Amino acid sequence: MAAMAATAARPDRVVSLREIVADIPDGSHLALAGFAITRNAVAFAHELIRAGTRGLTVTQVFGGFETDLLAAAGAMDCLTYASGSIDRFGLLYAVNRAVLDGSLALSEYSGLALALRLHAGALGLPFVTTRSMLGSDLVAPLVATGQAAEIESPFDGAPCLALPPLHPDIAVVHVDVADRAGNAMVGGPVWSIPETARASRMVDLVAEEIVEVGELDPSRITIPGLLVHAVARVPHGGHPTAVYGHYDFDAAHLRQYAAASNAGGDALDAYLDRFVRGVATFDEYLEEVAP
Amino acid sequence: MAAMAATAARPDRVVSLREIVADIPDGSHLALAGFAITRNAVAFAHELIRAGTRGLTVTQVFGGFETDLLAAAGAMDCLTYASGSIDRFGLLYAVNRAVLDGSLALSEYSGLALALRLHAGALGLPFVTTRSMLGSDLVAPLVATGQAAEIESPFDGAPCLALPPLHPDIAVVHVDVADRAGNAMVGGPVWSIPETARASRMVDLVAEEIVEVGELDPSRITIPGLLVHAVARVPHGGHPTAVYGHYDFDAAHLRQYAAASNAGGDALDAYLDRFVRGVATFDEYLEEVAP
Amino acid sequence: MSGEEKWTRAEMLAVAGSLQVVDGDVTVVGLGLPQIAALLAQRTHAPTVRLLLEIGVFEPVPAEPAMGIADPRMWKDATAFASTLEVLGVMVHGGRVSLGLLGALQVDQWGSLNTTEVEAPDGSRRRFRGSGGSNDISSNASRTVVIMTHQSRKFSEALTFLTSPGRRIKEQTRATVGLPSQGPCAVVTDRAVIALTDAGAVLESVHPGEQPDTVLADTPIPLNVPAGGPKETPAPTATQLALIRTELDPNNWYTS
Amino acid sequence: MSGEEKWTRAEMLAVAGSLQVVDGDVTVVGLGLPQIAALLAQRTHAPTVRLLLEIGVFEPVPAEPAMGIADPRMWKDATAFASTLEVLGVMVHGGRVSLGLLGALQVDQWGSLNTTEVEAPDGSRRRFRGSGGSNDISSNASRTVVIMTHQSRKFSEALTFLTSPGRRIKEQTRATVGLPSQGPCAVVTDRAVIALTDAGAVLESVHPGEQPDTVLADTPIPLNVPAGGPKETPAPTATQLALIRTELDPNNWYTS
């Protein structure tokens, strides 16, 4: 039995975006982690749409551009969220249209309540309790579908809402930088990214940049590599949304998308044909938007 | 009504350690955040002992040197913890002796269970649930005193343990660096520091270093200043415990203390007289230990 | 333009909204006009207001106009970047937020809000943003203020969807439902300030140039009028208007 | 010294403990000999073992001896610094830990542990560390291994205090109690390896130089012996001993 030096055998989790998408079967329960117009996994959403993946359930605390894109492409059957918009550029028009025409089943929460369900999933808690949502119309449909229960505290009898843990199959998060073992850093506010990744059975990352293990400050790790299945490098992969410290959102492109999504039909199809289905890679898309 | 420039009016929360201690009445419920031989608020514990503060209830997930010091001085009536030691240097001899002679009432948890009670306090949750501690002898005394309840999940009927939120009066945390508004950074692992601070009604900090607002990376803040009541600068204030990135533990001094604490009686009194009660300030103590 | 054509309705709304902020408030700010109202307060009478954004931002001091709370311009000079659990959990649900500033599609006489879905007279439905942190803030903040434009269809005794709870919820008190705080204390519109009390809604003031009777007619919820009639809301000052026009919203994204 | 005086009992214990680690295990390590066993495995047959410390450390690769898990030497080359909620919560309670390595004062035939308090024959009590993460790890990790010195008083059918649950808890199954995993799978001492199964404890192997009968006599819990008797535990290799003596514990803090 040979002794080894005190240096770590670290796994290499770097793959291509195409490999990440190939591992996602139709009907998967995806957890997304963008927020409106910031840090959306757009390169991933494009690749998923090109792969023709269908029947997805998506959980995302705050929906955004990526969410609407998947709805526009008809990739989603179910959505669980607390809200969605593309900030001042508009609403999630494709999502809202699909909800109203019945092609997308929606479960709605408050922001904290859904973050707590993911948090309970992350920690393996039997269930979590909150006062949020009590009295609101959000409660009844959740209780009816086993997603919430009105109970009393065993300590003081106070009414509270119990929520079961949530365990999506695969979380996909766009990060600033990851090392080759998947230890990843997110700069700026992190909204529900930590618990979205930790609640999921598998975590895939898209990173602006990939470095060697040991180059990142261990105190700045947002997602430990131990939880990560694979990481793909796609610089500018959040376009047209902003990635803090890397690039701003592309206002002109967001306006163009919002108009197409609001119009729907041929206008939205034309957008998808030109920018998503009509290109082979995200690099081609980036050339198309900023030639 | 005059317009102001877009620069913040930030509060100044810097005070002396003596002022922090003066604001802590006898009988307060303190939350401490050291861990065995690392990052203990030793300067604070010294000042508290010199002030003669008595009848304290202390909550601390992992007890350490600071906890034993308060027990040695007879400052504590009640302790809630999950464990305690001074690592390989020994046990919390003064704590254990006080528990056995009945002068210190002890509530015991698992590490996660107590961290979850503080976490529930931090988030204002009605209660929190876990599978930890089920079946163990830790449960019965907690149930008997209203600190836990055996319940079933309203979703699948699984047995689980409910724990009420915990709200100490004042948390005292030794941090690496804080800005003048109390935004504070802890390097290295943070164990239960985040929820210990957030659960408490008031947070006081002892910092190795204090800088101007704006000098710290907002992504590296462990405790937001908005939660902080006061911060005092005491370089080397964790001695003889380690503060990661600043100084190592003092093995010789820890051995000296462990021997005195294990012996108790006159030996322990002599330690306290020489190093705590017999000096006027922590600087004098530092000169006494490393003249 | 209204008020002798010296300001827009949206400017008046931002100013009246800002006056609800008390210096020292710990305030969570929703998307849109609440942002402008909070920043206006921060730059005028409430320099120590502590802003929080549910995206996980502590105490930002934005200097440039932003397209929403997900626009990094809105996070400028923050003291801490954190998570939603930290803002909606520790700060809001933990009872540490004194004021929430929220938008709404529809409001009832108790300040319950709908930000989810509305129904047109022809029965067709339109969907909006959903709750996000709105429900959490209405449920847990010490007080909340609703900031919205004043149209008759936005006031209703029977909300299409009750997203966020008011001072009473379908005849129940907040305490009965299990909510900790008093809840909404005012609806500020571009025509009036409506105070919300446990005895019902009160037309506290109408903005300069507005007639109380016309406002009442366009507010189809039970609305009390104080003896002596409503006051007149203070007119925007030149300083407030200059701030809005040159710094807070120079592109008229919110206040046109 | 035992085993032809070539190694100490504590060295044998560290080696036998290390053999319980399977390459690829995600392992939470308790204070003391479990540290040495885990590091020995990491430096020999299990180079991809992923260590976790309840203080909030991911995947450290310590190069120097440490005085416990709160000694920063034990955190060397960690990939992430995090919190107790992250290690005992997300990793352990979340079901992501395959192996816990724990110390104990007292163990029963199902692997339930006492790390809280013991009673001397004269009725006097002595208190120790308490649970820390031990209960959480025993309750939730896929499997746990107890590492302790072998003294008759440390084995008992009736623990003074049941700190951490074993495969059965006071005649109840783990499933009945509500625990998710199988629980403890072995007790490794400085004299033997005792396998823990749902049918009871089995004297799997005795260390070189130990007599099965003597070991059985010093293990006052129901203990099955396999047909053909226990095996002999593999003796420490020169490599293992050299590592312990020169790198992992050169000061004999744990293995004297």
Side-chain angles (χ1 to χ4, degrees):
Chain A
M1 188 177 294
M4 303 182 197
T7 52
R10 307 292 195 190
D12 190 321
R13 297 187 168 106
V14 179
V15 302
S16 71
L17 184 56
R18 202 157 283 175
E19 289 172 276
I20 284 178
V21 166
D23 268 358
I24 299 177
D26 285 353
S28 294
H29 182 175
L30 280 190
L32 297 178
F35 188 130
I37 57 168
T38 199
R39 200 180 284 284
N40 283 217
V42 180
F44 166 77
H46 278 202
E47 195 65 36
L48 199 68
I49 292 169
R50 276 194 293 273
T53 313
R54 311 283 293 185
L56 297 169
T57 289
V58 171
T59 290
Q60 182 170 18
V61 178
F62 305 101
F65 178 79
E66 63 191 352
T67 332
D68 206 58
L69 212 52
L70 292 179
M76 244 192 314
D77 286 355
C78 305
L79 174 64
T80 297
Y81 84 172
S83 69
S85 81
I86 39 180
D87 260 3
R88 205 70 190 165
F89 297 102
L91 299 170
L92 302 189
Y93 300 110
V95 165
N96 289 348
R97 202 162 39 235
V99 170
L100 289 178
D101 75 19
S103 61
L104 180 63
L106 183 69
S107 291
E108 285 189 274
Y109 290 79
S110 76
L112 177 63
L114 187 49
L116 284 173
R117 279 202 67 190
L118 291 164
H119 188 57
L123 291 163
L125 304 183
F127 63 97
V128 68
T129 66
T130 178
R131 286 182 303 268
S132 279
M133 304 204 298
L134 286 174
S136 78
D137 287 344
L138 293 160
V139 173
L142 297 175
V143 169
T145 51
Q147 298 180 69
E150 293 177 284
I151 63 171
E152 289 180 1
S153 161
F155 301 104
D156 62 6
C160 52
L161 199 65
L163 301 166
L166 189 54
H167 293 291
D169 297 323
I170 308 160
V172 181
V173 184
H174 190 92
V175 302
D176 292 26
V177 52
D179 68 24
R180 300 191 68 88
N183 298 288
M185 212 192 84
V186 167
V190 298
W191 51 96
S192 55
I193 291 171
E195 58 276 10
T196 299
R198 285 157 178 77
S200 300
R201 300 183 205 282
M202 193 163 113
V203 181
D204 289 325
L205 304 179
V206 183
E208 290 289 328
E209 195 185 344
I210 293 181
V211 299
E212 296 304 315
V213 176
E215 289 186 39
L216 300 178
D217 174 358
S219 286
R220 276 292 282 108
I221 297 303
T222 313
I223 303 172
L226 203 47
L227 301 176
V228 171
H229 166 252
V231 53
R233 177 171 174 269
V234 185
H236 240 80
H239 183 277
T241 69
V243 173
Y244 183 71
H246 292 260
Y247 42 87
D248 198 3
F249 54 82
D250 180 338
H253 191 88
L254 284 171
R255 268 188 213 103
Q256 182 179 2
Y257 176 77
S261 179
N262 195 13
D266 291 345
L268 188 49
D269 263 338
Y271 176 93
L272 292 173
D273 283 341
R274 176 171 170 201
F275 292 111
V276 186
R277 297 181 197 126
V279 296
T281 65
F282 201 69
D283 279 345
E284 276 186 30
Y285 158 81
L286 290 174
E287 280 179 39
E288 183 69 19
V289 293
Chain B
M1 187 177 295
M4 304 184 196
T7 53
R10 308 291 194 191
D12 191 322
R13 298 187 167 107
V14 179
V15 301
S16 70
L17 184 56
R18 202 156 284 176
E19 289 173 275
I20 284 178
V21 166
D23 268 358
I24 299 177
D26 285 353
S28 294
H29 181 174
L30 279 191
L32 296 179
F35 189 129
I37 57 168
T38 199
R39 200 181 285 285
N40 283 217
V42 180
F44 166 77
H46 279 202
E47 194 64 37
L48 199 67
I49 292 168
R50 276 193 293 273
T53 312
R54 310 284 294 184
L56 296 169
T57 289
V58 170
T59 290
Q60 181 170 18
V61 178
F62 305 101
F65 178 80
E66 63 192 351
T67 331
D68 205 59
L69 212 52
L70 293 179
M76 246 191 313
D77 286 353
C78 305
L79 174 63
T80 298
Y81 84 171
S83 69
S85 83
I86 40 179
D87 260 2
R88 205 72 190 165
F89 298 100
L91 299 169
L92 302 189
Y93 300 110
V95 165
N96 289 348
R97 201 161 40 235
V99 170
L100 290 177
D101 76 18
S103 62
L104 180 63
L106 184 68
S107 291
E108 284 189 274
Y109 291 79
S110 76
L112 178 63
L114 187 50
L116 283 173
R117 278 201 68 189
L118 291 165
H119 187 58
L123 291 163
L125 303 183
F127 64 96
V128 68
T129 66
T130 179
R131 283 181 304 269
S132 279
M133 304 206 297
L134 285 174
S136 79
D137 286 345
L138 293 160
V139 173
L142 297 175
V143 169
T145 51
Q147 298 180 69
E150 293 178 284
I151 63 169
E152 290 180 359
S153 161
F155 300 105
D156 61 7
C160 52
L161 200 65
L163 301 165
L166 189 55
H167 293 291
D169 296 324
I170 307 160
V172 181
V173 184
H174 190 92
V175 302
D176 292 25
V177 51
D179 68 24
R180 300 190 68 88
N183 299 288
M185 213 190 83
V186 168
V190 298
W191 52 95
S192 56
I193 293 171
E195 57 276 11
T196 299
R198 285 157 178 78
S200 300
R201 300 182 204 284
M202 195 162 111
V203 181
D204 289 327
L205 304 179
V206 182
E208 290 291 326
E209 195 186 343
I210 293 181
V211 299
E212 296 303 316
V213 177
E215 289 185 40
L216 300 178
D217 174 358
S219 286
R220 278 290 283 107
I221 298 304
T222 313
I223 303 172
L226 202 47
L227 301 176
V228 172
H229 167 251
V231 54
R233 176 172 174 270
V234 185
H236 239 79
H239 183 279
T241 70
V243 173
Y244 183 70
H246 293 260
Y247 43 88
D248 198 3
F249 54 82
D250 180 337
H253 191 88
L254 285 171
R255 269 188 213 100
Q256 182 180 2
Y257 176 78
S261 179
N262 195 13
D266 290 345
L268 188 49
D269 263 339
Y271 176 93
L272 292 173
D273 283 342
R274 176 171 170 202
F275 292 111
V276 185
R277 296 182 197 124
V279 296
T281 65
F282 201 70
D283 279 344
E284 277 187 30
Y285 157 82
L286 290 174
E287 279 177 40
E288 182 69 18
V289 293
Chain C
M1 292 276 178
S2 61
E4 300 175 0
E5 308 290 317
K6 284 192 280 203
W7 52 81
T8 67
R9 280 168 172 263
E11 286 170 343
M12 180 69 230
L13 173 48
V15 168
S18 81
L19 296 178
Q20 297 287 325
V21 179
V22 175
D23 198 22
D25 264 332
V26 176
T27 302
V28 183
V29 183
L31 172 68
L33 267 164
Q35 289 172 231
I36 305 298
L39 296 179
L40 184 57
Q42 184 181 51
R43 300 284 288 276
T44 54
H45 65 282
T48 71
V49 61
R50 307 284 162 217
L51 304 184
L52 298 169
L53 307 177
E54 67 188 65
I55 197 166
V57 177
F58 277 69
E59 308 182 281
V61 187
E64 266 186 275
M67 289 299 270
I69 63 168
D71 181 342
R73 288 164 192 76
M74 192 66 196
W75 315 338
K76 177 98 186 328
D77 283 348
T79 54
F81 290 135
S83 67
T84 293
L85 275 186
E86 195 88 341
V87 174
L88 293 182
V90 174
M91 298 304 296
V92 173
H93 201 268
R96 294 177 167 99
V97 165
S98 61
L99 175 64
L101 290 175
L102 300 172
L105 294 169
Q106 208 181 23
V107 63
D108 74 10
Q109 67 271 32
W110 303 109
S112 289
L113 307 182
N114 173 11
T115 55
T116 302
E117 183 174 296
V118 291
E119 202 173 279
D122 67 358
S124 69
R125 296 184 298 151
R126 279 192 71 193
R127 293 192 55 81
F128 287 82
R129 292 193 166 78
S131 164
S134 178
N135 172 283
D136 305 304
I137 296 163
S138 286
S139 297
N140 297 286
S142 301
R143 63 191 212 281
T144 55
V145 170
V146 185
I147 295 184
M148 57 181 237
T149 57
H150 200 128
Q151 288 135 309
S152 173
R153 62 183 164 79
K154 290 188 162 179
F155 295 89
S156 170
E157 287 189 68
L159 303 177
T160 311
F161 191 97
L162 196 162
T163 313
S164 304
R167 293 179 86 95
R168 284 179 166 270
I169 306 109
K170 297 172 184 172
E171 304 311 309
Q172 289 191 286
T173 66
R174 288 173 72 90
T176 308
V177 166
L179 298 174
S181 59
Q182 287 198 316
C185 64
V187 177
V188 177
T189 76
D190 51 353
R191 298 174 67 188
V193 176
I194 298 166
L196 302 173
T197 76
D198 287 338
V202 180
L203 185 62
E204 186 173 280
S205 70
V206 297
H207 298 344
E210 293 288 344
Q211 297 307 315
D213 286 352
T214 334
V215 170
L216 281 167
D218 289 345
T219 313
I221 52 170
L223 188 56
N224 301 306
V225 178
K231 293 180 287 191
E232 184 174 275
T233 315
T237 65
T239 305
Q240 288 165 328
L241 290 173
L243 261 175
I244 294 172
R245 290 169 189 173
T246 62
E247 299 196 40
L248 301 179
D249 193 27
N251 309 318
N252 283 318
W253 289 335
Y254 301 96
T255 54
S256 61
Chain D
M1 290 276 176
S2 61
E4 301 175 0
E5 308 290 316
K6 285 191 285 201
W7 53 80
T8 67
R9 281 168 172 262
E11 286 170 344
M12 181 69 229
L13 174 48
V15 169
S18 81
L19 296 178
Q20 297 288 326
V21 179
V22 175
D23 198 22
D25 264 333
V26 176
T27 302
V28 183
V29 184
L31 172 66
L33 266 165
Q35 289 172 231
I36 305 298
L39 296 179
L40 184 57
Q42 186 182 51
R43 301 283 289 274
T44 55
H45 65 282
T48 71
V49 61
R50 307 281 162 220
L51 304 184
L52 298 170
L53 307 177
E54 68 189 66
I55 198 167
V57 177
F58 277 69
E59 307 182 281
V61 187
E64 264 186 277
M67 289 298 271
I69 62 167
D71 181 342
R73 289 162 191 78
M74 192 65 195
W75 315 339
K76 176 102 186 328
D77 282 349
T79 53
F81 289 135
S83 67
T84 293
L85 275 186
E86 195 88 341
V87 173
L88 294 181
V90 174
M91 298 305 296
V92 173
H93 201 269
R96 293 178 168 99
V97 165
S98 60
L99 175 65
L101 290 176
L102 299 172
L105 293 170
Q106 209 182 23
V107 63
D108 73 10
Q109 68 270 33
W110 304 109
S112 288
L113 308 182
N114 174 11
T115 54
T116 301
E117 183 174 296
V118 290
E119 203 173 276
D122 68 358
S124 70
R125 295 184 298 151
R126 278 192 70 194
R127 294 193 53 83
F128 288 82
R129 290 195 166 77
S131 165
S134 178
N135 172 282
D136 305 304
I137 296 164
S138 286
S139 297
N140 296 287
S142 300
R143 64 190 212 281
T144 55
V145 170
V146 185
I147 295 184
M148 58 181 236
T149 57
H150 201 128
Q151 288 136 310
S152 173
R153 61 182 164 79
K154 290 188 163 179
F155 294 89
S156 171
E157 288 188 67
L159 303 178
T160 311
F161 191 96
L162 196 161
T163 314
S164 304
R167 292 178 85 94
R168 283 178 166 272
I169 306 109
K170 298 174 183 170
E171 304 310 311
Q172 287 192 287
T173 66
R174 287 173 72 89
T176 307
V177 166
L179 298 175
S181 58
Q182 287 197 314
C185 63
V187 178
V188 178
T189 77
D190 51 353
R191 297 174 67 188
V193 176
I194 298 166
L196 302 172
T197 76
D198 287 338
V202 180
L203 184 62
E204 186 173 280
S205 70
V206 296
H207 297 344
E210 293 288 345
Q211 297 308 314
D213 286 352
T214 333
V215 170
L216 280 167
D218 289 345
T219 314
I221 52 170
L223 187 57
N224 301 306
V225 178
K231 293 179 287 191
E232 185 173 275
T233 315
T237 65
T239 306
Q240 288 166 328
L241 291 173
L243 261 175
I244 292 172
R245 290 169 188 173
T246 62
E247 298 196 39
L248 301 178
D249 193 27
N251 309 319
N252 283 321
W253 290 336
Y254 302 96
T255 54
S256 61

